[in-house]
Amino acid sequence: MIIKHRDMPIHIKKLQCIAKRMSDFHPKKQLVDEELYKQIAGFKGEQSTDYYISYLDPPPLVLHNLRLKNGTFIFQIDTVLIYHKAIIILEIKNMIGTLELRSSYEQVIKTLNNETKAQKSFHTQVNMQKDNLERWIKREFKLKIPIIPLIIMSNPRTILKAESVELLKNVHPSSAIPFVVNDELAALSSKKYSLTQIRALANLMVASHEELDVDWFKRFDFSVSSLIKGISCPSCEQFTVKRRSTKCYCTNCSCEGFHIIEQAIEEAFMLLGEGIGNKELRKFLGDFSKQSITRIAIKANLQKTGVTKGTKYYRKNKILE
Ligand SMILES: [Zn+2]
C-alpha cells in the first residue's frame, strides 16, 4: 500500500520552470539545462523501480522520497518499505557508463566517454541513511525494528565493477527487488509488529516529511529578473499567450481558459515565494493593470494581506503556515 506517493519534487518543478523561462542566450542556460537533465534522470530512475515494487508480495507500506530531520541534520531516502518485522530502504541510482565500487577510500569511480570521476561511496551513503533512520525511529517512535539498506541500480545499461565481491552484496538491479526483499525478510527472525503500529509509524513519517527547497538562483548565481516575463501556454509551452481582460488564449495552439493564468501564478509563487505584491505579480505576468491583477487574484482564489500598495498575495491556505 502506497502511503506516500512519488510525485515530482517541487525543487525539480521549480528548475523546469526556470529553464523554460531562460532565453537561449542566458549565460547560465547550459548549466541549468544540464542540472535539469540530471535531476529528471534521477527521478525517472526512481519511477522505473515502481513497477517492481508493485510486485512485492506481501505488499509493504511504501513511502517514496522521504526527508526527515535528526536535530539539524536532514536525511533523504528514495524509498522506504515497511514490513511487520523490518524496514527496507532503497537508494536508487540511475547512472550510465561504467561504475567501479572501491572499498579503499570508500569511493565510486565513474567512467563515461573516456572521462573518469570519483564520487561518494553508495555504501557510505545508504549506511548513513540507515543509521539516521534508526535514530529517528528510536527517538520519535520508541521502536527498535531492523533496517536493511539496499542499493538499487535502475539503469540496466550500467556496467558495474567492484574491488571485492562483498561490495556487491547489497547492490541489485531493480528487476531483482521482489526476490531480494523476500530473501532478506526470510532470513530475519525478529519480532513482528502489528499493522496498527507500523501504520502509525508510516503516518508519523509522512507528517514529519520536510520537502526539499533548493534556491537555484543562489546555486547558479543569477537573479529571477533575468528570466523571461509573461505567460507561457500550459499545452505548447510557448510564450504566445494573448489576453482579453482576464481571459487568456494561445495563438500557437488555440489552448484557452483561466487555467493558463493559474499556471503562470503558480510559477510566480514557485520563483518569487509566498507574499507577492500586486506590482511584483504584474511585472512577472507582464502587461496587466493593477485592477486586472486584483480581479485575477479574486478569481484564482488567492489569499491576501494588507491593502492598496501593501497588498500581498498568497497561495490558498498559505497565510497561516
Ligand atoms: Zn499553446
Side-chain angles (χ1 to χ4, degrees):
M1 182 194 282
I2 299 179
I3 306 293
K4 185 176 180 297
H5 284 267
R6 197 190 305 282
D7 301 320
M8 180 173 275
I10 289 167
H11 70 280
I12 305 184
K13 284 188 189 166
K14 203 164 149 182
L15 192 61
Q16 272 181 323
C17 175
I18 291 173
K20 184 179 75 177
R21 287 179 175 268
M22 282 180 125
S23 79
D24 291 342
F25 310 105
H26 195 290
K28 300 291 166 74
K29 172 87 176 146
Q30 198 188 339
L31 281 177
V32 167
D33 283 348
E34 280 169 9
E35 181 64 31
L36 182 61
Y37 179 82
K38 216 167 77 185
Q39 293 282 343
I40 288 186
F43 180 68
K44 282 190 175 165
E46 290 171 23
Q47 259 185 332
S48 70
T49 62
D50 292 349
Y51 171 74
Y52 300 103
I53 291 169
S54 71
Y55 254 79
L56 289 168
D57 186 22
L61 302 181
V62 183
L63 292 92
H64 294 299
N65 281 336
L66 188 67
R67 279 180 95 243
L68 298 173
K69 216 178 196 177
N70 263 339
T72 52
F73 186 81
I74 291 192
F75 60 103
Q76 188 259 333
I77 303 173
D78 293 335
T79 297
V80 178
L81 309 173
I82 308 179
Y83 286 92
H84 288 283
K85 58 178 183 178
I87 292 177
I88 294 185
I89 57 175
L90 309 180
E91 170 60 27
I92 302 159
K93 299 288 182 196
N94 184 15
M95 300 176 111
I96 46 171
T98 302
L99 300 177
E100 191 189 344
L101 311 183
R102 286 192 185 166
S103 53
S104 49
Y105 206 57
E106 299 197 345
Q107 273 183 327
V108 172
I109 310 294
K110 180 182 170 181
T111 308
L112 180 66
N113 301 330
N114 293 323
E115 201 187 336
T116 302
K117 279 182 188 167
Q119 57 188 92
K120 203 161 82 180
S121 149
F122 299 162
H123 290 84
T124 310
Q125 208 182 339
V126 85
N127 286 332
M128 274 186 79
Q129 289 166 3
K130 173 187 181 267
D131 185 56
N132 267 298
L133 187 61
E134 246 162 22
R135 276 194 272 164
W136 187 88
I137 294 174
K138 203 173 153 195
R139 194 188 61 240
E140 302 289 331
F141 206 73
K142 314 278 180 271
L143 187 84
K144 201 167 165 30
I145 184 165
I147 298 175
I148 301 160
L150 297 177
I151 297 158
I152 300 298
M153 307 306 296
S154 65
N155 193 331
R157 285 178 299 163
T158 309
I159 299 168
L160 199 59
K161 295 177 180 174
E163 219 171 36
S164 66
V165 186
E166 278 72 43
L167 282 173
L168 292 173
K169 228 181 90 191
N170 60 345
V171 185
H172 305 277
S174 36
S175 54
I177 291 174
F179 313 105
V180 175
V181 167
N182 281 346
D183 289 350
E184 294 283 356
L185 291 173
L188 280 175
S189 57
S190 55
K191 183 183 164 187
K192 267 191 168 186
Y193 293 95
S194 69
L195 180 62
T196 314
Q197 260 179 314
I198 61 169
R199 271 306 291 257
L201 173 62
N203 290 341
L204 183 66
M205 284 177 173
V206 175
S208 309
H209 168 75
E210 307 236 352
E211 187 70 33
L212 172 66
D213 186 14
V214 180
D215 187 344
W216 295 112
F217 297 115
K218 200 172 165 191
R219 167 88 69 94
F220 292 113
D221 191 25
F222 68 95
S223 111
V224 67
S225 62
S226 64
L227 298 181
I228 299 167
K229 310 285 180 304
I231 300 176
S232 74
C233 169
S235 298
C236 68
E237 294 203 337
Q238 301 299 307
F239 286 85
T240 44
V241 171
K242 297 266 179 237
R243 69 179 185 94
R244 262 183 238 107
S245 178
T246 59
K247 288 192 174 66
C248 283
Y249 60 97
C250 174
T251 54
N252 186 45
C253 74
S254 305
C255 172
E256 60 175 36
F258 191 66
H259 72 285
I260 298 179
I261 291 189
E262 282 179 314
Q263 182 191 277
I265 292 173
E266 177 53 31
E267 289 178 9
F269 282 125
M270 266 199 283
L271 302 185
L272 305 172
E274 293 289 341
I276 309 175
N278 185 303
K279 195 175 167 188
E280 224 181 339
L281 195 54
R282 249 156 61 205
K283 209 169 147 192
F284 185 86
L285 300 178
D287 192 30
F288 279 87
S289 69
K290 217 173 180 174
Q291 292 73 20
S292 306
I293 291 291
T294 307
R295 279 200 303 274
I296 285 168
I298 293 168
K299 201 171 170 186
N301 216 359
L302 301 184
Q303 283 189 291
K304 69 167 197 165
T305 57
V307 285
T308 60
K309 276 187 175 173
T311 302
K312 298 268 184 215
Y313 294 110
Y314 300 78
R315 284 178 179 109
K316 208 181 157 192
N317 305 327
K318 283 285 177 179
I319 288 182
L320 297 175
E321 279 184 13

